Amino acid sequence: MTEPTSTADRRNVFVLGLTDLQRHDLENMRGAERFTFHSLLDYDSLVRDTDYDFDALLDQARTQLEEFDGSVDAIICHWDFPSSMLAPILAHDRGIPAPSLLSMLKCEHKYWSRLEQRTAVPDVVPGFSAFDPFAEDALAQVDLPFPFWVKPVKAHSSNLGFEIHDEDQFASALEEIRAEITDLGDAFNQVLRRVDLPRELQEAGGNTCLAEEIITGIQAAPEGVVSRGRFDVHGIVDMYKDPDGRSIERLDYPAATVPPEVQDRMVSTAERFLRHIGFDDGAFNVEYMWDPDTDRLRMIEVNTRISQSHSELFLKVDGTSNHEAAIDVALGDPPDMPHGEGRYAVAAQWHIFHDHDGVVRSVPSEEDVAALQRELPDTHVTFQVAPGDQLSDLPHQDSYRFKLGSLYLGADDRDQLVERYRRALALLPFDIDPVPEAKAG
């Protein structure tokens, strides 16, 4: 592509809920001089808020684009719902390449996705059952033995996700789910009303829950794009769980824990599913679990976008971030991701967790971060908490532990990655006061 010679020749890329970190990544990627990046709506209304009005957000976004004095060349989404559903609607308004809303919903609605997976790729689907969390006989609707996992059909990360071993745990989980599920579920129903639902989805709207068989093993995720019918994977990422096996603690790239033939199965299964639902002109990452003892491969979920958590990893290993692939697809250009052209052989994202509720008194200072970068150059850290925050009040946190931030590191090998992570953690002090039991929750 010929590079523009002036600012006026740049293509305008709108990013839903653009953050300073995303802008930094975008403006430092390969070929960034060809684009001008604009925030479409803001982070607080799209991500930090927890009570959404989808139709109102859509109207606000349409107004912003209509009032823009220039061409709207691409619309990019890196966040979960509601951004993930706003992006294709806004793109189709303007004839910009994007997946159909129907294909997006067949990924984003977890029960609908399982039904479609059972048709297209039944060998990788765990046992599952939908239930109404507000029903008196909710447990009777679950056709699975204990233990099982429950979650809403639409949620952020593992929020409102619970591992259930008996009736008491199920009843306790229902209390929390009933109190919070409508925050997201009601807005998701606004989207569902825009399509014709199949018969089995008529009574399974946004406030429905899913029970699923618990699966164990090694977790990994291929990431790629489908662009004008061309399916392409630009990398596979290892996903390491914490010692309790409940949440993702670390991401490594490139993947090394899963044999090449299993990686091939992951990729081919993802392609079969995405083609089955008619997904095109969009980015994706598909999470899998592989049991090395039985060689059973199970699909966890299909995400309809690149993962921001992977961006720095691709940059460190391949020489550019996956933002580039997402922009190429949104512009209708064939993606051209490099491989192995970065500074490091391996890279990782580590989450910084705290296991109990508390009030944040202090986070690492600018001086602490500067000391980290002096000792471990090219290490990046992001924080998700600030002084005064109570961890249990923060949006989009797991139901069982709290994320304080993330570390991104590159290294020559995985042993060196571990050493650098341990040293980085020691250089980043957090001060968190425990919450008395009477005030917890």
Side-chain angles (χ1 to χ4, degrees), residues 161-430:
F162 301 90
E163 188 174 315
I164 306 298
H165 289 260
D166 54 41
E167 292 186 16
D168 289 343
Q169 286 187 344
F170 186 81
S172 177
L174 281 185
E175 287 186 19
E176 193 165 339
I177 289 170
R178 288 168 175 168
E180 298 182 29
I181 191 172
T182 57
D183 289 351
L184 214 59
D186 286 352
F188 196 53
N189 280 333
Q190 292 177 293
V191 184
L192 293 175
R193 286 195 286 269
R194 295 173 176 271
V195 300
D196 293 327
L197 295 174
R199 179 183 54 80
E200 49 278 54
L201 270 295
Q202 295 292 330
E203 302 299 326
N207 294 315
T208 303
C209 282
L210 191 65
E212 291 194 336
E213 167 193 355
I214 293 174
I215 53 178
T216 58
I218 297 171
Q219 195 163 337
E223 180 180 287
V225 298
V226 185
S227 179
R228 300 191 174 184
R230 174 188 166 186
F231 175 92
D232 183 64
V233 167
H234 50 250
I236 300 179
V237 175
D238 275 331
M239 307 177 72
Y240 292 91
K241 290 201 167 186
D242 61 25
D244 292 333
R246 302 177 100 188
S247 59
I248 300 300
E249 186 171 62
R250 164 185 167 194
L251 304 174
D252 274 19
Y253 176 68
T257 60
V258 177
E261 61 271 18
V262 178
Q263 294 185 23
D264 290 343
R265 283 160 56 194
M266 291 178 172
V267 171
S268 64
T269 301
E271 181 173 9
R272 291 204 316 273
F273 175 71
L274 291 171
R275 293 199 184 282
H276 166 74
I277 63 171
F279 184 90
D280 197 5
D281 291 325
F284 66 86
N285 66 90
V286 185
E287 299 177 22
Y288 289 94
M289 190 80 77
W290 176 64
D291 186 337
D293 296 327
T294 64
D295 195 34
R296 294 181 70 186
L297 183 66
R298 291 291 181 266
M299 183 180 284
I300 300 172
E301 65 180 4
V302 181
N303 300 303
T304 54
R305 60 196 177 280
I306 63 165
S307 172
Q308 296 178 85
S309 297
H310 300 170
S311 297
E312 184 73 16
L313 310 186
F314 286 112
L315 179 62
K316 290 183 183 304
V317 174
D318 292 332
T320 193
S321 79
N322 52 0
H323 289 290
E324 185 176 323
I327 292 173
D328 284 341
V329 173
L331 291 169
D333 296 334
D336 182 28
M337 286 285 287
H339 293 282
E341 297 181 13
R343 187 178 302 176
Y344 301 98
V346 295
Q349 179 210 48
W350 251 284
H351 295 311
I352 306 170
F353 284 114
H354 191 74
D355 289 331
H356 304 285
D357 194 11
V359 175
V360 179
R361 294 305 175 204
S362 66
V363 300
S365 65
E366 292 182 6
E367 290 77 13
D368 293 324
V369 173
L372 167 70
Q373 292 171 342
R374 283 195 301 272
E375 184 163 337
L376 298 172
D378 208 26
T379 294
H380 296 274
V381 59
T382 63
F383 302 123
Q384 292 182 229
V385 297
D389 286 345
Q390 181 167 336
L391 299 180
S392 60
D393 290 339
L394 297 173
H396 314 322
Q397 292 277 3
D398 289 346
S399 298
Y400 36 80
R401 68 190 314 200
F402 306 96
K403 189 188 298 183
L404 307 181
S406 298
L407 275 163
Y408 299 85
L409 309 101
D412 296 330
D413 55 47
R414 283 172 171 78
D415 288 340
Q416 189 181 62
L417 269 179
V418 174
E419 292 173 8
R420 289 186 173 184
Y421 166 70
R422 289 173 176 164
R423 182 56 189 151
L425 208 57
L427 292 168
L428 296 172
F430 290 86

